[in-house]
């Protein structure tokens, strides 16, 4: 949740500091937090235990939860989300010159990045891009289906368009959002493998 919320917050702060139009409104962020962020994060509670978990050394008693790799991961993912949100916003504005459509694409891109981020953080010591990692468990697939359905209503259902200031997007916009999510997954997979390789390298 910290990297996801960090990306949302940093994008708004950056827009305010730079005098830019907000790529996502406060109400739309509330939608994202209620519909996808919490739902996706809670699925991790139902994940089966990762193999070899009892072979990991215990955490030192005085060590903070926010230290080392965790702090780096929060900052890195927040930066990726910031880039994805603003890229979606500017790409849609260049195509349509419509703030509602640009914000909708930014929200959809944010949700897509959250979905693929979920798959990236399910395993700490093993690769995420495997058949087991992609297929997942029933609760993960169920949450994914629910998020996709709700996000479709946000994008194409007129009453929700009116309530949240969203607008229908085309196929190219959907491809953009999914591509951004895939990019997040690939970058985090490379980052995790590099980190693990550094830990196993001889001093």
């Amino acid at each position: 949740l910290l990297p996801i919320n960090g990306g949302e917050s940093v994008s708004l702060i950056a827009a305010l500091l730079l005098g830019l139009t907000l790529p996502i409104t406060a109400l739309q962020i509330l939608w994202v937090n209620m519909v996808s962020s919490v739902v996706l994060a809670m699925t991790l509670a139902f994940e089966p235990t990762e193999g070899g978990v009892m072979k990991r050394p215990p955490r030192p008693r005085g060590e903070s939860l926010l230290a080392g790799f965790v702090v780096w991961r929060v900052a890195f993912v927040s930066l990726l989300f910031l880039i994805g949100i603003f890229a979606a916003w500017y790409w849609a504005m260049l195509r349509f010159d419509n703030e509602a459509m640009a914000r909708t694409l930014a929200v959809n891109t944010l949700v897509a990045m959250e979905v693929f981020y979920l798959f990236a953080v399910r395993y700490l010591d093993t690769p995420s891009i495997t058949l087991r990692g992609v297929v997942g468990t029933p609760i993960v697939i169920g949450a994914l289906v629910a998020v996709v359905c709700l996000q479709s209503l946000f994008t194409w259902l007129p009453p929700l368009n009116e309530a949240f200031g969203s607008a229908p997007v085309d196929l190219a916009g959907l491809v953009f959002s999914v591509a951004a999510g895939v990019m997040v997954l690939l970058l985090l997979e490379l980052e995790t493998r590099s980190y693990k390789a550094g830990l196993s390298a001889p001093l």
Side-chain angles (χ1 to χ4, degrees):
L1 284 174
L2 284 177
I4 290 173
N5 291 333
E8 295 173 357
S9 303
V10 170
S11 65
L12 297 184
I13 293 172
L16 291 173
L17 292 178
L18 297 175
L20 304 174
T21 303
L22 292 178
I24 301 176
T25 66
L27 188 60
Q28 290 169 345
I29 284 186
L30 180 61
W31 164 270
V32 171
N33 287 338
M34 289 192 307
V35 169
S36 63
S37 299
V38 174
V39 172
L40 293 174
M42 289 185 65
T43 62
L44 295 176
F46 300 92
E47 282 287 284
T49 304
E50 189 174 0
V53 66
M54 295 305 294
K55 295 181 180 179
R56 298 175 188 165
R59 181 191 302 274
R61 291 181 60 184
E63 180 180 298
S64 171
L65 288 175
L66 292 177
F69 181 71
V70 176
V71 174
W72 158 255
R73 171 56 68 85
V74 171
F76 183 54
V77 174
S78 295
L79 178 62
L80 293 179
F81 276 47
L82 171 67
I83 293 172
I85 290 170
F86 272 99
W89 161 266
Y90 280 109
W91 185 70
M93 285 298 291
L94 287 174
R95 293 184 65 213
F96 306 110
D97 193 25
N98 183 294
E99 289 189 0
M101 296 184 71
R103 285 186 171 131
T104 304
L105 183 60
V107 171
N108 283 339
T109 300
L110 171 60
V111 171
M113 291 189 294
E114 289 183 359
V115 168
F116 283 92
Y117 175 66
L118 170 68
F119 284 94
V121 299
R122 290 172 64 208
Y123 308 116
L124 295 176
D125 293 328
T126 55
S128 300
I129 305 179
T130 62
L131 181 60
R132 175 172 173 254
V134 173
V135 173
T137 53
I139 188 67
V140 171
I141 300 302
L144 177 59
V145 171
V147 168
V148 169
C149 291
L150 290 170
Q151 198 59 32
S152 297
L153 296 177
F154 172 87
T155 305
W156 289 292
L157 189 66
L160 289 186
N161 291 157
E162 182 69 23
F164 290 96
S166 56
V169 298
D170 57 9
L171 179 60
L174 296 179
V175 171
F176 181 99
S177 298
V178 173
V182 172
M183 185 62 65
V184 166
L185 175 60
L186 293 176
L187 289 174
L188 291 180
E189 185 77 357
L190 291 174
E191 175 235 17
T192 301
R193 294 190 181 195
S194 298
Y195 176 75
K196 296 300 179 184
L199 289 182
S200 62
L203 298 177

